[in-house]
Amino acid sequence: MTELAELPAVPGAARTQGRPRSSRAHEAILEAVLDLIEEGTTVEALSMEAIAARAGVGKATIYRRWAGKDELLLETLVKLKGPAPQPSGESLRADLIELLSVVGKKDQRAVRVMPCLMPEVSRSPEAYRIWQEAITEPRREVMREVLRRGVASGELRADLDLEVTVSMLISPLLLHRMVRWNPRLDEVDDLVAQVVDVVLRGVAA
């Protein structure tokens, strides 16, 4: 397949080896990775050759943007899930509800891709590392920061264990939304608020 033509670079965009980036080629490469994973290609089997062929670019175009497959996968996962949400700062409770309201919710592309990717994440240490670095850890850190502010303001106990508290908040909602462990909770309209309130009662100053 012929390589996509390089388009003029956006003003201020980074350049590599003196050549302007093509936003069209860049997006085509990310989409190619998602397409291949969606079709069942494992992370280990995913090759730069296959990605280039699907995107309609040469391998050199890929390597001008990413040093290797791991770096490309990181950006692809960020594209799929989007950046970590940022709370509005209204209050401790409101920020936690805001952050937890998106836990386990995905757009239709992610619904198709993630089931193909998760077995690989469970099996492959490298895929797990990429998943943690690109998706999970940034979201945990946002919630840690909200809790740190709660400790600093005196709303939460000074000896709060951030890791345990984050897990207490996220895990019930993630479990329910991923596997519907308790279908009775489907009928609870304010489930997120209830989880937040129960946890906050236990960790309040």
Side-chain angles (χ1 to χ4, degrees):
M1 300 177 71
T2 58
E3 182 173 343
L4 289 171
E6 294 284 343
L7 301 180
V10 177
R15 292 170 178 263
T16 305
Q17 298 179 358
R19 296 190 61 183
R21 285 191 173 194
S22 162
S23 59
R24 186 174 65 173
H26 195 89
E27 289 300 312
I29 293 165
L30 297 177
E31 287 294 317
V33 175
L34 290 174
D35 286 343
L36 290 167
I37 293 174
E38 187 176 353
E39 293 168 6
T41 304
T42 66
V43 172
E44 287 184 352
L46 193 65
S47 67
M48 291 301 201
E49 290 80 5
I51 296 168
R54 176 61 65 91
V57 303
K59 282 201 301 181
T61 300
I62 299 178
Y63 283 112
R64 280 197 296 271
R65 291 160 172 79
W66 298 278
K69 188 171 72 173
D70 287 355
E71 188 177 306
L72 172 55
L73 284 170
L74 283 172
E75 184 169 341
T76 303
L77 284 174
V78 171
K79 171 183 171 61
L80 177 66
K81 295 287 290 184
Q86 298 299 319
S88 59
E90 179 181 346
S91 69
L92 172 63
R93 180 178 183 271
D95 284 353
L96 291 175
I97 291 174
E98 186 178 351
L99 290 175
L100 290 170
S101 293
V102 300
V103 171
K105 291 187 176 180
K106 310 168 189 167
D107 61 26
Q108 288 304 306
R109 186 72 182 280
V111 167
R112 295 191 299 270
V113 171
M114 290 311 301
C116 302
L117 187 61
M118 291 314 295
E120 191 75 8
V121 170
S122 299
R123 185 188 65 82
S124 166
E126 187 61 20
Y128 179 76
R129 182 191 65 78
I130 292 171
W131 167 254
Q132 287 288 324
E133 184 176 338
I135 301 299
T136 311
E137 177 55 25
R139 284 159 172 77
R140 281 196 299 261
E141 182 55 28
V142 171
M143 190 164 292
R144 289 188 198 107
E145 186 56 33
V146 171
L147 295 173
R148 290 187 190 108
R149 290 200 299 268
V151 172
S153 68
E155 296 172 81
L156 302 179
R157 51 193 296 171
D159 62 347
L160 181 69
D161 188 314
L162 293 177
E163 301 308 318
V164 171
T165 306
V166 168
S167 293
M168 288 169 61
L169 288 163
I170 292 177
S171 299
L173 294 166
L174 191 59
L175 177 66
H176 175 63
R177 287 174 174 164
M178 295 295 289
V179 301
R180 293 185 65 224
W181 187 79
N182 186 351
R184 294 180 181 178
L185 295 180
D186 291 341
E187 303 173 4
V188 179
D189 294 332
D190 59 346
L191 179 60
V192 172
Q194 288 195 37
V195 170
V196 170
D197 288 341
V198 167
V199 174
L200 286 182
R201 280 197 293 271
V203 297

